[in-house]
Amino acid sequence: MSAFNASQVDLNTASKEDVLCFLALSDNEYNGHLGARISSIFVILFVSSAFTFFPVVAKSLPSWKIPFSVYLFARYFGTGVIVATAFVHLLDPAYKRIGPKTCVGESGYWGEYSWCAAIVLGSVMIIFLMDLAAEVYVERKYGVHKDEDATGAFIQGGHQGAATVDSSYDQEKSISPGETAPTWSSDSESAMAERSFKQQIAAFLILEFGIIFHSVIIGLNLGVTGSEFATLYPVLVFHQSFEGLGIGARMSAIPFGKHTWLPWILCAMYGLTTPISIAIGLGVRTTYNPGSKVALIVQGVLNAISAGVLIYSGLVELLARDFLFDPDRTKRRSQLLFMVFCTLLGAGIMALIGKWA
């Protein structure tokens, strides 16, 4: 690169790597506005935490009497947000940093294979194996019997079933005339609740950590970005709010049981990640260069890993289990259409935000 003279380029002799890297690599673009950047730490901390905590707090405080439709909106809007994040906010940036026809993608071993696609594929397969291992472990520990007709819906729909969310939504679990409500002993109820918790928490942790990787990158970049800061700041406020709402709504559906402390820690982890990353970015604002080759590789690899995580989680854990394979899925067409509309709305808005961030 040191011998490349951009003012005298002979396309017959210049390497593709030299040209692409000259166009792609940049210097540190920090341009001041320190006060506004510091304010972004607290603004994003507040909005991301508030939107994440809201569904969890609303579930733990039945006195708020949050309408069921509000819960459904938050949950399925969040589903759309997470799916759009996987493709628009993670997969596309990964290809722009380490994919074919990029500086990194034409450099050395990176140019010999489609590594971006391979990383995404590897991430999907690893998450699949982890999910399968968690399912098998829980089933072996708690046992699965074909004659458990009464509990089958609860177990199979345990991941995301809307009808098993919480006792505060009993209108979704009404008993048909002549049908006897299933009864269980306290020990079997406790065992089922713990089994459902372990099934769901493994999938949720994978989902949250995939989003957290992404939050670290955008936080660092916001702290050091140049002229784009004025646009990126408000866009990321909405970005983090919508993602937080999706995480919080999904978390509120998990039967934490005796693990009452865990949802608060998980909410706080998401709420703190981006503000801390912004603060770190401000600490290295004159030295960290997000447009360097090393930074592009790190960002591209992390984005590709996170994309694989969220693609699997969004399509399998959320869409497939909520809409296709959940025996507790609502039979009301109007409610099902509302759930689908919320999902499409979340995906559409988050995809639109991808135009700026």
Side-chain angles (χ1 to χ4, degrees):
M1 283 294 294
S2 58
F4 181 74
N5 186 350
S7 61
Q8 297 179 352
V9 178
D10 185 348
L11 294 179
N12 293 315
T13 58
S15 70
K16 187 184 295 185
E17 177 186 348
D18 283 342
V19 174
L20 289 173
C21 287
F22 175 80
L23 296 173
L25 302 184
S26 60
D27 297 323
N28 180 283
E29 297 179 350
Y30 175 76
N31 63 349
H33 307 293
L34 184 59
R37 294 174 193 268
I38 292 175
S39 75
S40 70
I41 297 175
F42 300 99
V43 171
I44 292 179
L45 172 63
F46 173 76
V47 298
S48 60
S49 298
F51 276 79
T52 309
F53 275 103
F54 174 74
V56 178
V57 173
K59 177 187 175 183
S60 63
L61 296 175
S63 59
W64 282 19
K65 296 182 179 178
I66 304 296
F68 186 63
S69 59
V70 173
Y71 171 79
L72 281 182
F73 173 82
R75 176 171 175 171
Y76 293 102
F77 182 88
T79 294
V81 166
I82 290 168
V83 173
T85 297
F87 289 96
V88 178
H89 296 262
L90 291 171
L91 185 61
D92 183 60
Y95 268 95
K96 288 180 178 177
R97 286 162 175 79
I98 62 173
K101 299 181 181 179
T102 65
C103 168
V104 174
E106 295 292 339
S107 303
Y109 291 111
W110 289 95
E112 297 179 4
Y113 187 71
S114 183
W115 286 108
C116 185
I119 293 171
V120 174
L121 174 62
S123 180
V124 169
M125 291 296 103
I126 290 172
I127 300 305
F128 159 69
L129 292 174
M130 291 173 62
D131 193 21
L132 179 62
E135 291 274 357
V136 171
Y137 167 76
V138 171
E139 288 176 357
R140 286 177 64 88
K141 182 172 182 179
Y142 291 94
V144 178
H145 304 287
K146 292 182 180 179
D147 59 347
E148 290 180 352
D149 292 334
T151 62
F154 183 90
I155 293 173
Q156 294 300 325
H159 279 269
Q160 311 294 347
T164 59
V165 170
D166 187 67
S167 59
S168 60
Y169 303 120
D170 284 337
Q171 64 266 46
E172 286 301 298
K173 297 184 288 184
S174 58
I175 304 299
S176 302
E179 182 180 356
T180 303
T183 58
W184 305 284
S185 68
S186 59
D187 289 342
S188 62
E189 285 181 343
S190 176
M192 276 202 310
E194 185 67 13
R195 181 182 192 276
S196 180
F197 165 74
K198 289 185 176 181
Q199 280 183 316
Q200 295 183 60
I201 196 63
F204 178 80
L205 289 176
I206 290 169
L207 173 68
E208 177 162 4
F209 283 113
I211 292 176
I212 281 178
F213 282 149
H214 175 50
S215 298
V216 170
I217 294 172
I218 62 177
L220 285 172
N221 289 346
L222 184 63
V224 301
T225 191
S227 59
E228 296 179 351
F229 174 78
T231 302
L232 199 57
Y233 183 179
V235 169
L236 288 186
V237 170
F238 289 101
H239 181 284
Q240 294 304 103
S241 299
F242 292 153
E243 279 190 350
L245 184 64
I247 288 177
R250 286 288 154 184
M251 201 181 312
S252 69
I254 299 176
F256 282 94
K258 62 184 179 181
H259 310 279
T260 54
W261 51 271
L262 190 54
W264 309 105
I265 291 179
L266 294 174
C267 286
M269 284 177 59
Y270 174 78
L272 289 169
T273 298
T274 301
I276 290 175
S277 299
I278 296 172
I280 294 172
L282 289 177
V284 296
R285 61 188 179 275
T286 59
T287 56
Y288 173 64
N289 179 14
S292 68
K293 199 169 192 177
V294 172
L296 290 176
I297 292 174
V298 172
Q299 292 176 38
V301 170
L302 288 180
N303 278 334
I305 293 172
S306 298
V309 171
L310 264 65
I311 287 172
Y312 179 87
S313 298
L315 299 184
V316 177
E317 299 291 343
L318 306 186
L319 290 183
R321 281 189 170 140
D322 273 7
F323 292 101
L324 301 180
F325 305 130
D326 183 4
D328 265 345
R329 182 181 65 231
T330 179
K331 303 300 188 294
R332 302 178 191 171
R333 289 186 179 180
S334 59
Q335 182 174 308
L336 183 60
L337 287 174
F338 178 69
M339 291 158 55
V340 172
F341 170 77
C342 293
T343 301
L344 297 178
L345 181 64
I349 292 178
M350 202 62 175
L352 179 62
I353 289 177
K355 177 177 174 62
W356 300 280

